[in-house]
Amino acid sequence: MQIIPYDPKYSKLVAAFFREIFAEMGWKEQLSDQIDQPQLLFHLPDKGILLLVKEKDMVIGTAGLIMLTEADGLIKRFYLSKSYRGTGLANSLLDELIKKAQLLGIKKILLDVSKKNPRAIRFYVKNGFTKTDVTP
């Protein structure tokens, strides 16, 4: 198993993985999700990050960051296949994402997690993020 930067040669594997997660979560895919061209969503290679967790010929995890400003980034597509959750892999992936963000000059990392996803909220709080309520 390895954590590597996104490469367009993995676009079909990444798209299949994203669709697997969307189906699991009951999310409807939108054109703006850029499922088939994640480099567009993450402004790669210049202004964003997309890390992949690969095992053999499969993508089993992703973690991305979109730069909002020169110092602020937004975590996107932090996903792990069901069978790898609870193994500590998510912590390693988050650590690697934070290291890469710091290399880009990111000082503050934000994220948006649905209130309907308490497992993700617990994970981020446990890893030092502060929970805030945002009203529409």
Side-chain angles (χ1 to χ4, degrees), residues 71-88:
D72 298 339
L74 175 67
I75 291 179
K76 298 288 285 179
R77 305 276 167 87
F78 193 97
Y79 305 145
L80 207 54
S81 286
K82 225 177 196 178
S83 57
Y84 293 89
R85 296 176 195 157
T87 65

Side-chain angles (χ1 to χ4, degrees), residues 14-15 17-19 21-22 27-42 49-53 59-66 74-81 93 97 110-113 124:
V14 171
F17 177 70
F18 285 161
R19 287 189 172 100
I21 296 295
F22 272 50
W27 299 333
K28 184 179 178 188
E29 183 181 330
Q30 307 291 320
L31 280 177
S32 60
D33 292 322
Q34 299 292 351
I35 297 283
D36 293 307
Q37 295 182 301
Q39 69 275 11
L40 298 179
L41 178 66
F42 291 97
I49 302 166
L50 180 56
L51 300 176
L52 311 179
V53 182
V59 171
I60 59 164
T62 59
L65 185 128
I66 296 171
L74 175 67
I75 291 179
K76 298 288 285 179
R77 305 276 167 87
F78 193 97
Y79 305 145
L80 207 54
S81 286
L93 186 56
L97 183 64
L110 307 165
L111 56 109
D112 183 15
V113 179
Y124 288 116

Side-chain angles (χ1 to χ4, degrees), residues 98-123:
I98 290 170
K99 284 180 201 171
K100 299 286 187 197
Q102 289 170 338
L103 290 174
L104 284 176
I106 298 294
K107 307 251 186 282
K108 185 193 313 184
I109 297 177
L110 307 165
L111 56 109
D112 183 15
V113 179
S114 169
K115 291 178 184 180
K116 297 177 185 177
N117 195 345
R119 181 183 177 115
I121 293 169
R122 279 191 307 275
F123 169 76

